[in-house]
Amino acid sequence: MADENIETTNAVAAEAQKVADAVKAAETAADAEMKAASDKAIADKAALNGAGDSELIAKIVKERLDTELANIKSKLDNAYKQRDEVQAKLAATEAKEREATLKKLSEEGKFKEAYEIQLAEERAANAALAKSNTELSRDVSVRESLRSL
């Protein structure tokens, strides 16, 4: 059973790596497309600048950027969606593996070890929440200080 959990975890980790690579590739492609769209919009604006109608120029630039960015945004949304799905699968697999380990220890009569593992997990979760709370409190404090300026 432990071998199956390890194989499943490895498979999910490999899938997570593939998705992470796909997200990075999508972000790189999105950056390149955004730069190209921006350059094209600037060139169009410069070409039309001689015509003089600044409202028309702004409208054309905005339309071009919106159409180019829509494609980029959809690619990034899909990549992030895949990443989130893989992360959820990985978390579920790890949770099953932890439960199996705890169950095995309980069946073997090693209750103390099982409780120590559970206690360590709870302490780690508590530390993560405390860190998050501190960061959020600090952010609020900074915002309030900036408002007073």
Side-chain angles (χ1 to χ4, degrees), residues 70-89:
N71 184 28
I72 294 167
K73 288 178 182 178
S74 67
K75 287 179 183 178
L76 283 175
D77 288 344
N78 289 335
Y80 288 130
K81 182 180 176 185
Q82 287 178 344
R83 180 200 61 191
D84 293 343
E85 289 173 356
V86 170
Q87 285 177 340
K89 285 181 185 178

Side-chain angles (χ1 to χ4, degrees), residues 25-149:
E27 287 175 342
T28 303
D31 288 343
E33 288 181 23
M34 285 173 44
K35 178 155 178 34
S38 177
D39 290 345
K40 186 174 182 182
I42 290 170
D44 288 346
K45 184 176 179 181
L48 291 175
N49 212 7
D53 193 11
S54 63
E55 289 179 13
L56 178 63
I57 294 169
K59 181 180 177 184
I60 292 171
V61 169
K62 184 178 182 335
E63 288 175 0
R64 284 239 173 107
L65 281 175
D66 288 344
T67 57
E68 293 292 330
L69 291 177
N71 184 28
I72 294 167
K73 288 178 182 178
S74 67
K75 287 179 183 178
L76 283 175
D77 288 344
N78 289 335
Y80 288 130
K81 182 180 176 185
Q82 287 178 344
R83 180 200 61 191
D84 293 343
E85 289 173 356
V86 170
Q87 285 177 340
K89 285 181 185 178
L90 184 61
T93 302
E94 289 174 352
K96 286 180 184 178
E97 194 173 299
R98 281 191 307 271
E99 288 178 21
T101 302
L102 292 174
K103 184 178 178 182
K104 181 181 176 187
L105 288 172
S106 295
E107 288 174 355
E108 292 174 356
K110 300 179 181 178
F111 298 108
K112 182 179 178 184
E113 291 177 20
Y115 288 126
E116 286 175 354
I117 291 172
Q118 288 176 333
L119 181 62
E121 290 174 358
E122 291 298 323
R123 285 183 177 163
N126 187 20
L129 289 173
K131 179 181 176 188
S132 175
N133 190 23
T134 302
E135 290 172 356
L136 292 173
S137 298
R138 188 179 316 127
D139 290 348
V140 169
S141 177
V142 168
R143 281 191 201 117
E144 288 175 0
S145 297
L146 290 174
R147 281 187 202 150
S148 67
L149 294 177

